[in-house]
Amino acid sequence: MTDSINQAGPSASRRSVLAAGGVALAALTLGLSACAQQDALAEQARAGDNKNYVAGDGSVTEFAPADRKSAVQINGTLFDGTVVTPADFQGKVTVLNFWFAACAPCRVEAPVLEELHQEFKPQGAQFFGVNLRDEKATAEAFDKSFNLTYPSFDDKDGGVLLAVSGLVPPGAVPTTLVLDKQGRVASRVLGEIERGTLKALIAAAVAE
């Protein structure tokens, strides 16, 4: 596990100090046709100059199995029309990434999420994006721009966000959750993910 993950006693959740949930302060507009290497918002995020946008700092919280709450009860619809119910989270490790297209850190981490999706798919892990504000055409353009193959929830009504209330602060985008095979939240990253950290969190959940 990377050094960015703090550890507590065996009976307590291991927690890092959490930054305040990010808040999108203004809508950003940008065409989605540019490739990731030339993406202006992604470059802005890498430069640390996130104008009109505030996000979490990548802080990580892990929850020991004994301290995890009940399985999340997510009922939602993907952009392709597929209906997802709580039963779909049983028996599989699930990664939920909360995003929207004009979120600069979301654009930076998108290729990393796809890489990890491909790496862990043979081990039975599944990935879902949770899009909080985009129309279908915008979300699909984002997926095409970054070659994402995992699906996303159309969550403009906030149903999925409500189901994880208390774990994902409103407006904290990006946020990434790793659910264990019982559908319980095993870990959380607030803000842009770091590849090695998220890989370790997923691998730990898969190994349980």
Side-chain angles (χ1 to χ4, degrees):
M1 192 66 66
T2 66
D3 293 338
S4 63
I5 302 175
N6 298 329
Q7 296 189 9
S11 65
S13 301
R14 291 168 289 168
R15 295 181 174 86
S16 62
V17 178
L18 300 179
V23 180
L25 301 180
L28 302 176
T29 55
L30 182 72
L32 296 176
S33 60
C35 66
Q37 291 82 357
Q38 298 174 336
D39 190 292
L41 278 175
E43 290 302 322
Q44 173 182 297
R46 292 188 185 99
D49 185 22
N50 296 331
K51 297 176 182 177
N52 295 325
Y53 189 83
V54 180
D57 67 354
S59 298
V60 175
T61 303
E62 283 188 274
F63 301 95
D67 296 331
R68 294 173 193 167
K69 297 182 179 180
S70 301
V72 296
Q73 299 299 305
I74 291 176
N75 291 278
T77 303
L78 306 179
F79 279 107
D80 66 6
T82 300
V83 175
V84 178
T85 69
D88 295 307
F89 297 93
Q90 296 299 308
K92 296 181 179 180
V93 170
T94 302
V95 178
L96 292 175
N97 176 255
F98 292 76
W99 69 282
F100 58 88
C103 155
C106 300
R107 304 173 77 84
V108 174
E109 69 181 15
V112 176
L113 287 163
E114 177 61 25
E115 289 175 8
L116 292 174
H117 170 234
Q118 294 298 333
E119 181 173 348
F120 284 98
K121 183 167 61 174
Q123 300 178 52
Q126 60 184 356
F127 280 56
F128 293 106
V130 183
N131 188 287
L132 300 175
R133 62 174 61 183
D134 296 323
E135 299 298 329
K136 182 178 181 180
T138 301
E140 289 179 343
F142 183 97
D143 288 349
K144 183 177 181 180
S145 180
F146 293 100
N147 299 311
L148 302 184
T149 61
Y150 58 87
S152 282
F153 287 93
D154 178 358
D155 200 46
K156 289 192 296 297
D157 65 359
V160 176
L161 185 62
L162 181 62
V164 293
S165 176
L167 291 163
V168 181
V173 179
T175 292
T176 302
L177 301 178
V178 178
L179 310 184
D180 65 17
K181 296 172 186 176
Q182 298 178 48
R184 304 175 302 173
V185 177
S187 55
R188 173 186 65 182
V189 181
L190 289 176
E192 184 183 328
I193 62 169
E194 192 279 321
R195 187 185 191 283
T197 299
L198 184 57
K199 179 178 178 178
L201 295 172
I202 299 170
V206 168
E208 289 181 353

